Amino acid sequence: MIRENNKVKDIQIAYIGGGSRNWAWTFMKDLALEAELSGTIRLYDIDKKAAKANEIIGNKISQKENAVGKWEYKALASIEETLTGADFVIISVLPGDFKEMASDVHTPEKYGIYQSVGDTVGPGGIIRAMRTIPMFFEIAENIKKYSPDAWVINYTNPMTICVKALYAAFPEIKAYGCCHEVFGTQTILKKALEEMRGLKDVERHEIRTNALGINHFTWIDRATYKDIDLLPIYKEFVDKHYEEGYQVDEEHWLNSVFKSSEKVKFDLFRRHGLIAAAGDRHLAEFVPSNWYLKDPETVAKWQYKLTPVSFRIENREALKEKSRKYVDGMLEIELENSGEEGIAQIKALVGLNELVTNVNLPNKGQMAGVPFDAVVETNALFQAGTVRPIIAGGLPREIESITLRHVEVQEGIIEAALAKDMDKAFKAFSADVQVSTLNPDDARALFDEMVENTKHYLSYWNI
């Protein structure tokens, strides 16, 4: 990297999963709109054609007249060439294919277990973790070998387990996990402030929150806008919209598998007095399934949707076509800021600013009541060359007990992977809050069937 007149040039970013047809484009556009950074993006993906397409798309973005950040994109064939000399490593990979994801999400339905996402907790999240952990062990070992001083930013789910796996394989790694779920909750707080107090032109980033928990089960116990305490205002907002729900934007939950009317979030606030800082689809999977996920009728009552893998397959085909049109020049690439904070984090780490935001890191005392080194999600201060977790405090006992159950399962699956022990993996699987509703024989049958369905990606486990 070269520092010159409040700009940092020649930054080397290695992008593992560089054939991504969603997040990679978002990242490219955000980089193009940042004038103070420039350099090279090295794209590495097992799908070499997708990475090559993104090389073309990335360079087209960089050449646009309104692209103030200039980057060169290169699709590379080897992980060694991709990582050597990298200042930053981005990880955004799909652990398995949609065939495996279909098993993660839909096989448990035969046993009465419904999952709204199936990528973090629950039987789907755990089996996905079994595929993902060996990949992240290997990624960490390669980072240790080729770019041990790089900052590593993970976007892959299951987020907590991915970050834990990186540190398990390379304890000195400088890695953290990024998730935008808290941003969505800050947006709801902004809407509440505008509606209940009539304030105008409030920006999401002006909403200050104290976040604590684990990824996709993160909570806010303090929130302010300037000198205004937002929790009483949020309570008024929840009471007003509890019955009918609330649409954050124009897209109604009935028309989107990713939207909700925030009723799960509102109900959890009434139960516990803290703001649940993730989307309803994720939150529902962390609590007992008879709360919000008993059956499709219960899901509809709480005004969100199960996300079928068939939708993801259709969406992938649409994105493939979009990629082809971008490459061929049949579709114009529009530059717009995503509102994500990955670029702001990079700017802080290279010394151009300071930033406080929520990230996933091993617990070094920033969160009370959770085991040391378990990965937690709290705020951290980003400065030149450092990410310092901010003391967040602890959760109320009733939320802490649910959180700790998931922590134990997540720690258990990592321990099982380190030992390559399928019996330990099953013990972690059967302790999950959703799986534990089954009798032992059914839990074992479900585990065995899901493992069989994904065994192509489980060679690491010696099965």
Side-chain angles (χ1 to χ4, degrees):
M1 293 186 291
I2 302 170
R3 182 78 178 253
E4 185 179 289
N5 298 327
N6 206 37
K7 292 185 178 182
V8 179
K9 302 179 178 181
D10 198 30
I11 300 171
Q12 301 296 309
I13 298 179
Y15 196 126
I16 300 175
S20 161
R21 298 181 184 90
N22 192 358
W23 169 246
W25 298 344
T26 298
F27 188 67
M28 291 170 177
K29 292 174 185 178
D30 285 350
L31 280 174
L33 293 170
E34 176 50 65
E36 295 178 335
L37 303 175
S38 61
T40 302
I41 311 291
R42 309 162 181 181
L43 304 168
Y44 176 80
D45 201 299
I46 58 172
D47 185 342
K48 292 180 172 56
K49 288 183 178 179
K52 187 64 179 178
N54 275 354
E55 175 190 287
I56 296 169
I57 293 168
N59 286 323
K60 281 179 177 253
I61 289 172
S62 192
Q63 290 161 13
K64 290 181 74 70
E65 186 176 344
N66 57 336
V68 293
K70 298 301 182 181
W71 295 83
E72 181 182 5
Y73 289 83
K74 296 180 179 179
L76 300 178
S78 75
I79 194 71
E80 177 181 358
E81 188 179 5
T82 303
L83 288 175
T84 300
D87 301 301
F88 294 89
V89 178
I90 309 294
I91 309 174
S92 177
V93 299
L94 179 66
D97 205 339
F98 287 113
K99 177 183 175 183
E100 286 71 33
M101 189 183 290
S103 174
D104 294 347
V105 174
H106 297 302
T107 299
E109 293 173 358
K110 296 192 293 185
Y111 295 82
I113 296 175
Y114 294 90
Q115 299 168 103
S116 35
V117 186
D119 71 355
T120 300
V121 294
I126 296 167
I127 299 299
R128 181 183 174 105
M130 291 178 66
R131 295 195 299 273
T132 308
I133 293 167
M135 296 180 188
F136 273 68
F137 284 170
E138 183 177 354
I139 289 169
E141 288 163 0
N142 280 314
I143 291 169
K144 180 179 181 179
K145 186 174 182 180
Y146 299 119
S147 52
D149 296 323
W151 281 100
V152 181
I153 310 172
N154 177 60
Y155 289 97
T156 304
N157 288 326
M159 175 66 70
T160 303
I161 288 173
C162 289
V163 175
K164 182 72 178 183
L166 291 172
Y167 278 92
F170 178 20
E172 294 78 26
I173 199 169
K174 299 191 297 187
Y176 59 89
C178 256
C179 180
H180 59 205
E181 294 286 322
V182 173
F183 303 165
T185 305
Q186 289 173 323
T187 298
I188 294 172
L189 285 166
K190 159 186 152 62
K191 300 281 188 179
L193 187 58
E194 291 171 344
E195 182 176 320
M196 307 311 294
R197 293 296 183 270
L199 296 184
K200 304 296 183 183
D201 301 321
V202 177
E203 298 291 336
R204 178 195 68 77
H205 63 82
E206 297 177 299
I207 305 291
R208 304 297 183 187
T209 58
N210 183 58
L212 67 167
I214 56 177
N215 184 240
H216 292 153
F217 199 59
T218 312
W219 297 79
I220 292 170
D221 62 356
R222 297 191 303 276
T224 57
Y225 171 71
K226 298 182 178 178
D227 60 347
I228 302 172
D229 182 358
L230 296 182
L231 261 68
I233 295 171
Y234 186 76
K235 182 181 185 304
E236 293 175 28
F237 186 77
V238 168
D239 289 343
K240 179 178 179 180
H241 293 290
Y242 182 81
E243 294 300 331
E244 78 281 6
Y246 181 81
Q247 303 300 318
V248 175
D249 53 38
E250 293 180 358
E251 189 172 17
H252 197 277
W253 72 271
L254 284 170
N255 301 321
S256 171
V257 296
F258 297 126
K259 299 292 183 178
S260 78
S261 67
E262 315 301 335
K263 283 174 69 70
V264 171
K265 187 183 279 85
F266 291 169
D267 192 60
L268 288 170
F269 179 77
R270 283 193 164 184
R271 286 174 183 263
H272 301 299
L274 269 62
I275 302 171
D280 284 11
R281 295 162 56 253
H282 283 298
L283 293 168
E285 295 186 333
F286 281 81
V287 297
S289 55
N290 61 359
W291 288 17
Y292 312 114
L293 268 171
K294 181 180 179 182
D295 48 40
E297 292 73 27
T298 301
V299 171
K301 170 191 168 185
W302 289 101
Q303 297 185 8
Y304 67 102
K305 286 189 173 184
L306 304 175
T307 307
V309 174
S310 59
F311 168 82
R312 297 185 186 275
I313 293 171
E314 292 170 6
N315 189 55
R316 176 180 62 178
E317 294 307 309
L319 289 172
K320 280 184 178 180
E321 179 64 12
K322 194 173 187 178
S323 174
R324 186 184 69 79
K325 289 181 177 179
Y326 279 159
V327 169
D328 292 345
M330 298 168 61
L331 186 63
E332 183 68 19
I333 304 168
E334 300 294 337
L335 295 190
E336 56 185 358
N337 191 289
S338 70
E340 299 282 350
E341 293 188 348
I343 309 308
Q345 292 167 5
I346 291 173
K347 285 182 66 177
L349 288 169
V350 299
L352 292 176
N353 64 9
E354 292 187 355
L355 176 71
V356 173
T357 191
N358 59 292
V359 291
N360 294 266
L361 285 165
N363 188 22
K364 301 300 183 183
Q366 66 265 37
M367 186 170 165
V370 176
F372 194 76
D373 274 344
V375 172
V376 296
E377 185 163 4
T378 67
N379 287 338
L381 172 63
F382 285 69
Q383 295 175 306
T386 64
V387 178
R388 294 191 178 94
I390 295 172
I391 299 298
L395 291 165
R397 187 179 300 276
E398 65 274 14
I399 303 176
E400 183 183 275
S401 64
I402 299 171
T403 302
L404 286 175
R405 182 167 182 174
H406 291 290
V407 169
E408 289 302 317
V409 171
Q410 292 165 341
E411 293 287 296
I413 202 69
I414 288 286
E415 291 175 9
L418 288 168
K420 300 184 180 181
D421 189 323
M422 291 295 287
D423 287 335
K424 284 187 176 181
F426 172 66
K427 287 177 182 177
F429 179 88
S430 60
D432 174 79
V433 68
Q434 296 178 50
V435 179
S436 64
T437 61
L438 303 180
N439 67 54
D441 289 341
D442 283 348
R444 186 79 220 193
L446 175 60
F447 178 77
D448 289 345
E449 183 175 355
M450 294 181 76
V451 166
E452 177 66 22
N453 290 343
T454 196
K455 67 180 182 181
H456 176 72
Y457 290 92
L458 299 180
S459 59
Y460 167 90
W461 293 84
N462 297 327
I463 59 171

